[in-house]
Amino acid sequence: MAMITLKRAVEFDGKTFSSIDIDEPTVGGIEAYEKAKAEGATELGATVAMLAVDTGWPEGALRKVRASDLATISGAMAPFLAAPANGAIGA
């Protein structure tokens, strides 16, 4: 697991989010990702859905994360998101 401290904290719904824990996606997170994709979400939108399930952050808060912090989060997630032959995410 990697705890990432955001360069700029996010304010959402009266809460401050300043760090995010990134770990291997759960089945529920993968399911949220696949459901979002099936409903026409972009890659980023589907990733937000997965992160919401796996981090406990509200999707609205995740959408306020700055691009530079997203790049760091994506780097931490990369080892877990290798696409197997069946097209599902996860190792």
Side-chain angles (χ1 to χ4, degrees), residues 3-89:
M3 178 184 279
I4 296 168
T5 300
L6 303 179
K7 293 176 187 172
R8 291 173 60 181
V10 169
E11 299 287 330
F12 182 79
D13 202 23
K15 287 186 71 177
T16 300
F17 297 85
S18 58
S19 64
I20 188 168
D21 291 324
I22 301 299
D23 202 351
E24 180 178 4
T26 64
V27 171
I30 294 168
E31 183 178 51
Y33 175 92
E34 290 178 348
K35 180 179 179 195
K37 289 295 282 183
E39 293 173 351
T42 63
E43 187 71 28
L44 182 56
T47 300
V48 166
M50 179 178 66
L51 284 171
V53 169
D54 285 338
T55 66
W57 278 43
E59 286 189 21
L62 287 163
R63 287 190 171 90
K64 294 181 84 173
V65 168
R66 301 296 176 160
S68 59
D69 285 322
L70 178 62
T72 303
I73 292 166
S74 295
M77 291 174 51
F80 305 120
L81 299 179
N86 68 1
I89 65 168

